Amino acid sequence: MSQNSASKDEILKEIKKRSEVINKAMEDFLDLGEPEELYKASYHLIKAGGKRLRPVLTLLSCEAIGRDWKPILPSAIAIELIHNFTLIHDDIMDKDEYRRGVPTVHRLFGEATAILAGDTLFAKAFEILSKCNVEAENVIRAVEVIADVCVKICEGQYMDMEFEKRDDVSVEDYLKMVEKKTGVLIACSCSIPAVLYGEEKYVKPLWDFGLNCGIGFQIHDDVLDLVGGEKIGKDWCSDLVEGKKTIVYLRAREMGVEIDIFGKGKASDDEKRRAVEKLKECGAIDFASEMAKEFVERGKKYLDVLPDSNAKNVLMLLADYLVTREY
């Protein structure tokens, strides 16, 4: 077995170990209420699985600062609920039909119920966060941090939508949007244990680690939308067809390469394959992949302040995994 595959196996094992903790805790926190259909819709994507990367990062970061994650386990659950709330609403806005290999919430339950399902998860997240068993003033600060993160996610999502109407979107604009839409929640996932335990010296380094890794993660996600095929569990090439100005598209446009299916709303598999081939040939996909790795390398440097530990090593491996995963 190569060193790379050994590292990948190791990180997947570490992720699985902690994601099982998250899944068990979510079962304890997420009871089916009335009306039953609303709660089925709310928990639909959660039950469909996922790697739980954000709450796993929370547990790992807590271990890496030498603290016990059990008293703050509710914060990891809250972050996963917020992530799922954003996915439900994103899918409505993007009119996506699949997520995690299953039909999206709005497709199964209708748009109005999907909006309410997302709102339910958003509110539940703060209810669960309040159950963290640490100093009350630190819980209040965590509420402020996560509420601000939610505002930034909305700003990023709006920017993403607005970009579809603009012809002057730059790579810098894209990076600012991605920082808000994706980066801040991963930054929050990493830094919230330090906030909850009042470990001030670790708050910003862990935030900056997560922010850079989150940007790299989203750039890689944009690449996977093109090359991941069925593995990604959602509509293949949906970004191109919907007219999303991802970094791959922006790079190709800079080079004068035109993509016929961009913004068409619909395309055959053959048309998608030809478009992806064009993006490969002009180097736009490689450009994006390299940039994703650069952001992760930058992020890992912020972990230098942490004491050496297994958790720190796993965080480094997980950072690399974010931009090398196949789905």
Side-chain angles (χ1 to χ4, degrees):
M1 186 183 285
S2 72
Q3 189 173 353
N4 279 349
S5 60
S7 296
K8 187 179 175 187
D9 287 345
E10 183 186 344
I11 193 57
L12 288 174
K13 189 175 162 190
E14 295 284 358
I15 290 170
K16 186 170 185 288
K17 185 165 69 176
R18 289 166 182 83
S19 67
E20 284 170 357
V21 170
I22 301 296
N23 288 334
K24 174 68 177 68
M26 283 199 294
E27 281 176 22
D28 296 339
F29 279 113
L30 302 180
D31 294 327
L32 270 179
E34 293 288 342
E36 192 177 324
E37 195 78 352
L38 171 64
Y39 284 91
K40 277 185 180 172
S42 300
Y43 304 152
H44 171 64
L45 284 185
I46 291 170
K47 288 181 183 297
K51 291 181 284 295
R52 316 293 187 213
L53 288 175
R54 290 156 189 80
V56 165
L57 281 166
T58 301
L59 300 192
L60 276 169
S61 296
C62 194
E63 292 169 39
I65 62 171
R67 295 289 196 150
D68 180 5
W69 48 253
K70 290 183 193 71
I72 67 149
L73 184 56
S75 70
I77 307 307
I79 282 168
E80 181 65 10
L81 295 199
I82 285 167
H83 175 54
N84 279 272
F85 134 70
T86 66
L87 296 182
I88 292 172
H89 284 190
D90 278 6
D91 287 340
I92 295 168
M93 287 178 259
D94 293 343
K95 298 181 174 58
D96 281 339
E97 302 221 330
Y98 288 93
R99 168 81 64 178
R100 293 176 180 161
V102 298
T104 47
V105 177
H106 67 273
R107 188 176 158 207
L108 266 189
F109 298 92
E111 204 167 283
T113 300
I115 292 167
L116 286 172
D119 293 346
T120 301
L121 291 182
F122 177 77
K124 275 269 180 199
F126 287 96
E127 179 196 338
I128 290 169
L129 178 64
S130 71
K131 299 182 190 302
C132 285
N133 189 19
V134 291
E135 294 286 334
E137 63 190 52
N138 291 342
V139 177
I140 291 167
R141 189 174 166 209
V143 168
E144 290 171 346
V145 169
I146 293 180
D148 183 57
V149 161
C150 289
V151 171
K152 285 187 168 68
I153 292 169
C154 291
E155 291 170 356
Q157 177 65 10
Y158 180 82
M159 289 169 74
D160 194 19
M161 287 162 45
E162 187 205 19
F163 286 178
E164 291 176 37
K165 304 172 197 163
R166 284 174 46 192
D167 294 325
D168 61 342
V169 178
S170 65
V171 169
E172 290 71 26
D173 291 332
Y174 165 88
L175 291 174
K176 191 180 292 183
M177 178 272 290
V178 162
E179 179 178 315
K180 292 187 171 197
K181 185 179 172 181
T182 306
V184 292
L185 187 57
I186 292 178
C188 178
S189 305
C190 297
S191 60
I192 210 71
V195 171
L196 285 162
Y197 275 115
E199 294 276 11
E200 197 55 45
K201 64 185 174 184
Y202 295 131
V203 173
K204 191 169 187 314
L206 283 168
W207 175 277
D208 289 338
F209 163 72
L211 192 68
N212 281 280
C213 289
I215 295 169
F217 172 88
Q218 183 59 56
I219 293 170
H220 185 63
D221 223 41
D222 293 346
V223 170
L224 285 182
D225 182 69
L226 301 168
V227 301
E230 291 179 1
K231 285 182 186 173
I232 59 173
K234 60 178 185 175
D235 300 335
W236 174 49
C237 261
S238 62
D239 289 344
L240 270 188
V241 175
E242 287 163 16
K244 296 267 184 194
K245 294 185 172 74
T246 66
I247 201 156
V248 180
Y249 170 78
L250 292 172
R251 178 63 172 173
R253 192 185 65 181
E254 272 181 6
M255 301 170 77
V257 175
E258 287 193 20
I259 305 299
D260 297 337
I261 65 170
F262 184 76
K264 267 182 67 176
K266 199 176 281 190
S268 69
D269 281 352
D270 278 345
E271 287 175 311
K272 289 175 182 178
R273 272 190 278 273
R274 284 197 296 272
V276 171
E277 204 50 48
K278 261 191 178 184
L279 292 167
K280 282 180 179 171
E281 284 170 6
C282 75
I285 287 176
D286 284 345
F287 171 83
S289 292
E290 283 308 307
M291 184 178 275
K293 288 170 186 164
E294 283 166 19
F295 270 102
V296 161
E297 286 305 313
R298 191 180 308 165
K300 281 156 62 177
K301 289 185 171 64
Y302 289 102
L303 296 182
D304 289 349
V305 300
L306 295 176
D308 288 339
S309 67
N310 179 58
K312 177 181 174 179
N313 293 339
V314 175
L315 275 176
M316 303 273 270
L317 284 173
L318 181 46
D320 290 333
Y321 173 74
L322 293 178
V323 292
T324 55
R325 66 204 158 88
E326 295 174 359
Y327 58 93

